[in-house]
């Protein structure tokens, strides 16, 4: 898992000092991703790397557009040898396309970073992000959405986006839980 170690180092270098709470969240999201390794098999490394990197666009040195999925993915695509799926997962994590639309950046995001056509990986990253508190602790997707609305306000760009995304977020989380239960019961390949 060389890419995972590299991803942790990069995310820590960008987030730990200027944004310690964001770094705690990223570590918590990555821990959730690691817990899904049995369900994901060969894709586990991709998920863990994307999970730890998903919020690097918040780093002050990267915040160009103010839209963290786009800013983070733009930085990542310039780095040699990184799996394109990791970059596209970061760009589109947790239904970012809906927030991009609220910000007038939907066409830009779609053109630069098409959504990954892998429901299992996409759902897994949504699950990891949206069931982890800002401090890195486990939570429910319902509590997480309430926390986001409380932090940003219902009429903010983020508030409007998260209200629109909420049904899809809950559906993704439910699908991951079903897959994890099936895997634990030995029902998956």
């Amino acid at each position: 898992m060389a890419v995972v170690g590299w991803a942790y180092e990069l995310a820590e270098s960008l987030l730990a000092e200027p944004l310690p709470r964001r770094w705690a969240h990223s570590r918590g999201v990555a821990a959730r991703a690691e817990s899904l390794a049995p369900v994901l098999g060969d894709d586990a490394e991709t998920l863990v790397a994307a999970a730890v990197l998903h919020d690097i666009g918040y780093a002050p040195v990267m915040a160009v557009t103010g839209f963290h999925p786009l800013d983070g993915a733009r930085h990542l695509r310039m780095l040699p040898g990184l799996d394109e799926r990791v970059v596209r997962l970061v760009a589109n994590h947790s239904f970012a396309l809906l927030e991009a639309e609220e910000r007038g950046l939907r066409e830009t995001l779609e053109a630069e970073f098409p959504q990954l056509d892998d429901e299992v990986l996409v759902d897994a990253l949504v699950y990891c992000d949206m069931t982890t508190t800002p401090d890195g602790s486990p939570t429910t997707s319902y509590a997480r959405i309430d926390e986001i609305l409380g932090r940003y306000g219902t009429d903010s760009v983020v508030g409007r986006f998260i209200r629109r995304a909420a049904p899809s977020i809950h559906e993704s989380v439910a699908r991951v839980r079903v897959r994890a239960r099936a895997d634990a019961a030995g029902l998956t390949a």
Side-chain angles (χ1 to χ4, degrees):
M1 284 200 161
V3 71
V4 171
W6 171 87
Y8 268 99
E9 288 177 15
L10 178 63
E12 182 177 18
S13 73
L14 293 167
L15 298 173
E17 188 176 315
L19 301 168
R21 194 167 187 220
R22 186 67 57 190
W23 174 229
H25 170 71
S26 296
R27 288 191 331 266
V29 172
R32 297 289 261 185
E34 290 167 2
S35 77
L36 294 177
V39 177
L40 294 172
D42 292 342
D43 287 332
E45 183 177 78
T46 300
L47 177 64
V48 176
V52 78
L53 294 168
H54 82 284
D55 275 352
I56 64 166
Y58 280 114
V61 297
M62 288 197 194
V64 175
T65 68
F67 181 47
H68 77 278
L70 182 59
D71 291 340
R74 282 178 169 170
H75 176 76
L76 291 173
R77 83 169 158 210
M78 295 185 305
L79 303 175
L82 185 60
D83 184 342
E84 179 191 349
R85 295 179 309 154
V86 172
V87 178
R88 289 169 59 190
L89 282 166
V90 168
N92 289 288
H93 73 272
S94 300
F95 300 97
L97 195 59
L98 295 176
E99 185 175 347
E101 189 173 295
E102 290 286 335
R103 295 176 179 275
L105 293 169
R106 182 181 178 116
E107 289 179 11
T108 301
L109 185 62
E110 286 179 314
E112 290 186 39
F113 304 101
Q115 291 195 53
L116 198 60
D117 188 25
D118 185 331
E119 182 182 81
V120 174
L121 270 176
V122 171
D123 279 352
L125 187 53
V126 170
Y127 169 84
C128 296
D129 186 23
M130 299 309 294
T131 62
T132 304
T133 68
D135 295 320
S137 301
T139 190
T140 67
S141 57
Y142 293 91
R144 177 83 162 113
I145 288 169
D146 287 346
E147 180 276 321
I148 291 168
L149 287 169
R151 189 164 20 119
Y152 289 96
T154 57
D155 292 327
S156 68
V157 168
V158 174
R160 289 190 306 270
F161 143 69
I162 204 70
R163 286 186 291 126
R164 287 178 58 206
S168 298
I169 289 167
H170 300 313
E171 289 168 8
S172 287
V173 168
R175 284 191 295 268
V176 170
R177 288 192 172 131
V178 166
R179 285 185 196 108
R181 280 193 298 271
D183 182 73
L187 301 175
T188 58

